[in-house]
């Protein structure tokens, strides 16, 4: 049997998990949780490209999720766009904003991006909260139906709402993971990972450091935006919380917990942190405490993240 | 005219708080190259612990002292438990650690105290002073005076005392400082204690005006950082000037443009500084040795 590449192995594991897990669902509710994990996994895959590959950090990625989500709420009513195109529009706006914000900042050292994105996220949340006439303010706003489920029904594929979103988000996550994994192997991806090691060393071998960082930032913003659009379309409702500071922190924590350097690890981290509050409802009150603690502990003791560390241990024992 | 003066007064008041936060950033940054995102939480803790102590029956000055000492001790704990074990980690890891500490402290404050907005009485009463047609709260003078006194104290400490010079030496070159017998670990601990204490003092002075709650820290951190950057990262004079400038820009934005979006002013300043003068007002062009 030919050896599987890491890329196809990751995609196979992911596809198998998405396809097989529903057989173990005790109730329809779990499709919802599953879809949520996939959406978070998608956003976190974007963080893998930015943080895991390129070694940069954003503390405001929820801002892009907010833009993606509110694009789906606003563009259909105000511009007459189909909700799916509204999601695309949100992704384009996110990419343009990421480019404009990132261009001056990414020439500089790491923490400038952290501060600027922190400010950016807070700014987006502020606009969504304050422009009541447009966004409905803190109470949120309704999002139109995507309509794809009805279309599938006409073609003879009758899914419940939960099932539809489970598989739809699962497929989008697979596509997102596939793109991220391809990037990992491409010359551009190698350039990104070279930055992570040392920006100066990368520069001396002829990599345009600022440009490559900017590309990673823009791509990861698009991931967050699409994830935001999916949340909005699935819930048919959206509030400014999606752009909030804590949501940005959640994304970073999911990525570093599972392992920001690996797509599968980060999605695994997204799974854990999405499931935990569902299993332990008492945790809601401790959410910030737990997130903060996880961030610190992982960075001190398991810098590669949970999954890569565990895999390395297993491999070490096997050989 | 009196309107402008009024905006200037309120800008100087919040600016003094930002200046103190920016000074806190600068101290830790100089000693260790770490940008401590938990800096704003020290301000929050200064206010919250003082409120808590005061509400529990302690006299205000004692409650304030307890708050400053407790926060300084917490700063030391963060350095010992979270920063020192990660020595040599990449910048991204250190950012995640300090932002993790920030989120953790917010979560803890939510549990230990509550989610309400709190305040305590101003130190010298609430009768506003009239100056040139505008009014200023006596507490504002406390805040502005506090920032200036802290700055003067730091200046004396760093230029006139052996210990302060040890900190400067460490920030110039850690290895060389170790070679001449400076305990650089102690310098780090001292920097965190000092920085946390100054942050808490800012919280104590400002709370009667700005009020406090478990989640106010991140805003202070952002604006303090904007101030430190505007002045030139790592330069104490720059931090002081930059903090005051951010406060003034914010107050003028609120007065003449939009009070809803005054918070955006700091962010716009960050972007403009990064675009046009990444070295800040007082900073020198940085070179990095590999």
């Amino acid at each position: 049997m030919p050896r599987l590449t890491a890329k196809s192995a990751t995609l196979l594991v992911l596809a198998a998990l998405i396809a097989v897990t529903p057989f173990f669902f005790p109730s329809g509710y779990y499709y919802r949780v599953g879809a949520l994990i996939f959406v978070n996994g998608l956003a976190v895959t974007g963080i893998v490209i930015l943080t895991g590959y390129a070694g940069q950090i954003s503390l405001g990625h929820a801002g892009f999720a907010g833009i993606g989500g509110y694009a789906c709420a606003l563009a259909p009513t105000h511009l007459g766009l189909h909700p799916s195109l509204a999601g695309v529009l949100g992704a384009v706006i996110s990419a343009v904003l990421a480019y404009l914000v990132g261009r001056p900042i990414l020439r500089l050292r790491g923490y400038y991006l952290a501060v600027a994105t922190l400010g950016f996220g807070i700014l987006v949340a502020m606009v969504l909260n304050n422009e009541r006439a447009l966004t409905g303010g803190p109470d949120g706003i309704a999002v139109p139906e995507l309509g794809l489920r009805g279309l599938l029904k006409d073609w003879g594929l009758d899914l419940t709402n939960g099932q539809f979103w489970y598989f739809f988000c699962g497929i989008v996550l697979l596509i997102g993971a596939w793109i991220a994994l391809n990037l990992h192997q491409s010359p551009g991806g190698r350039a990104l990972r070279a930055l992570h090691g040392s920006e100066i060393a990368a520069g001396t071998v002829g990599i345009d450091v600022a440009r490559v960082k900017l590309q990673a930032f823009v791509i990861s913003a698009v991931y967050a935006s699409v994830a935001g659009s999916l949340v909005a379309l699935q819930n048919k409702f959206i509030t400014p919380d999606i752009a909030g500071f804590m949501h940005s922190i959640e994304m970073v924590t999911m990525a570093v917990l599972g392992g920001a350097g690996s797509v599968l690890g980060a999605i695994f981290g997204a799974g854990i942190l999405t499931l935990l509050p569902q299993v332990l409802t008492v945790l809601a009150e401790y959410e910030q405490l737990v997130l903060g603690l996880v961030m610190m502990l992982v960075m001190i003791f398991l810098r590669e993240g949970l999954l890569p560390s565990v895999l390395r241990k297993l491999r070490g024992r096997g050989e | 005219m009196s309107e402008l003066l009024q905006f200037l007064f309120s800008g100087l008041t919040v600016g003094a708080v930002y200046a103190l936060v920016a000074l806190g950033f600068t101290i830790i940054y100089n000693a260790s190259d770490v940008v401590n995102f938990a800096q704003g939480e020290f301000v929050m803790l200064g206010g919250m612990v003082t409120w808590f102590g005061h509400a529990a029956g302690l006299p205000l000055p004692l409650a304030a002292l307890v708050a400053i000492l407790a926060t300084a001790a917490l700063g030391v704990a963060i350095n010992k438990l979270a920063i020192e074990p990660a020595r040599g980690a990449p910048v991204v890891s250190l950012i995640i650690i300090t932002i993790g500490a920030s989120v953790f402290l917010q979560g803890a404050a939510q549990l230990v105290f509550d989610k309400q907005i709190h305040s305590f009485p101003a130190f010298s009463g609430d009768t506003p002073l009239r100056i040139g047609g505008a009014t200023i709260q006596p507490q504002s003078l406390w805040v502005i005076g506090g920032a200036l006194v802290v700055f003067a104290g730091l200046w004396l400490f760093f230029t006139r005392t052996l210990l302060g010079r040890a900190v400067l030496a460490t920030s110039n070159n850690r290895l060389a400082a170790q070679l001449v017998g400076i305990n650089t670990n102690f310098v780090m601990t001292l920097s965190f204690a000092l920085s946390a204490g100054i942050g808490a003092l800012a919280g104590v002075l400002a709370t009667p005006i700005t009020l406090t709650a478990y989640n106010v820290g991140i805003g202070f951190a952002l604006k303090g950082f904007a101030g430190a950057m505007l002045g030139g990262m790592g330069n104490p004079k720059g931090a002081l000037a930059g903090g005051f400038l951010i406060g003034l820009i914010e107050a003028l934005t609120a007065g003449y443009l939009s009070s809803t979006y005054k918070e955006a002013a700091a962010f716009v300043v960050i972007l403009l500084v990064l675009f046009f003068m990444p070295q800040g007002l007082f900073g020198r062009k940085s070179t990095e040795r590999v």
Side-chain angles (χ1 to χ4, degrees), chain B residues 28-45:
Chain B
I28 291 180
Y29 178 78
N30 277 347
S32 63
D33 258 350
V34 172
V35 173
N36 174 30
F37 280 86
Q39 196 66 38
E41 309 311 323
F42 298 148
V43 182
M44 178 273 289
L45 285 170

Side-chain angles (χ1 to χ4, degrees), chain A residues 39-303:
Chain A
V39 169
N40 285 335
L42 184 68
V44 168
T45 305
I47 303 281
V48 167
I49 295 172
L50 181 69
T51 305
Y53 295 179
Q56 308 298 312
I57 187 164
S58 162
L59 300 176
H61 248 50
F64 297 116
I67 290 169
Y70 273 84
C72 287
L74 299 176
T77 39
H78 294 278
L79 303 175
L81 282 181
H82 187 268
S84 57
L85 288 179
V88 174
L89 177 68
V92 171
I93 296 174
S94 292
V96 170
L97 278 175
Y99 180 82
L100 292 178
V101 173
R103 226 180 97 87
I105 293 163
L106 285 163
R107 285 177 305 172
L108 304 157
R109 287 174 66 183
Y111 45 79
Y112 287 113
L113 182 66
V115 176
T117 48
L118 177 65
F120 169 76
I122 291 176
L123 197 61
V124 171
M126 202 192 299
V127 171
L128 295 179
N129 270 308
N130 287 322
E131 296 301 321
R132 280 163 199 278
L134 192 63
T135 65
D139 298 332
I141 188 169
V143 179
E145 164 75 42
L146 178 61
L148 188 57
R149 189 163 72 96
L151 212 60
L152 287 176
K153 203 169 174 180
D154 294 342
W155 293 345
L157 188 61
D158 193 5
L159 297 170
T160 67
N161 192 43
Q163 284 169 334
F164 168 73
W165 282 107
Y166 176 90
F167 288 110
F168 187 61
C169 295
I171 290 166
V172 178
L173 173 62
L174 269 177
I175 297 171
W178 177 68
I179 294 172
L181 288 165
N182 272 335
L183 188 65
H184 192 259
Q185 301 299 337
S186 72
R190 284 177 211 279
L192 277 182
R193 284 181 288 146
L195 293 185
H196 201 166
S198 162
E199 288 185 17
I200 292 158
T204 56
V205 294
I207 294 169
D208 185 343
V209 173
R211 206 176 69 117
V212 174
K213 281 198 277 188
L214 186 58
Q215 284 168 349
F217 185 55
V218 171
I219 295 172
S220 71
V222 170
Y223 272 80
S225 177
V226 172
S229 297
L230 286 176
V231 173
L233 289 169
Q234 187 190 357
N235 295 337
K236 292 191 207 137
F237 193 76
I238 190 167
T239 70
D241 281 347
I242 191 173
F245 170 64
M246 282 315 294
H247 188 208
S248 294
I249 294 299
E250 272 172 17
M251 286 190 206
V252 174
T253 315
M254 285 171 180
V256 297
L257 172 64
S262 95
V263 171
L264 201 58
I267 296 174
F268 176 67
I272 296 181
L273 281 187
T274 313
L275 277 178
L276 261 187
Q278 311 279 342
V279 184
L280 298 166
T281 41
V282 284
L283 270 183
E285 209 179 323
Y286 296 89
E287 197 200 347
Q288 294 205 3
L289 203 72
V290 172
L291 284 181
L293 208 57
V294 166
M295 290 172 99
M296 289 192 283
L297 291 178
V298 169
M299 278 301 120
I300 296 167
F301 297 111
L302 286 173
R303 208 164 292 157

Side-chain angles (χ1 to χ4, degrees), chain B residues 96-114:
Chain B
I96 295 174
I97 288 174
T98 59
I99 196 87
S102 163
V103 172
F104 176 80
L105 290 176
Q106 272 187 45
Q110 225 178 98
L111 290 173
V112 175
F113 307 114
D114 55 19

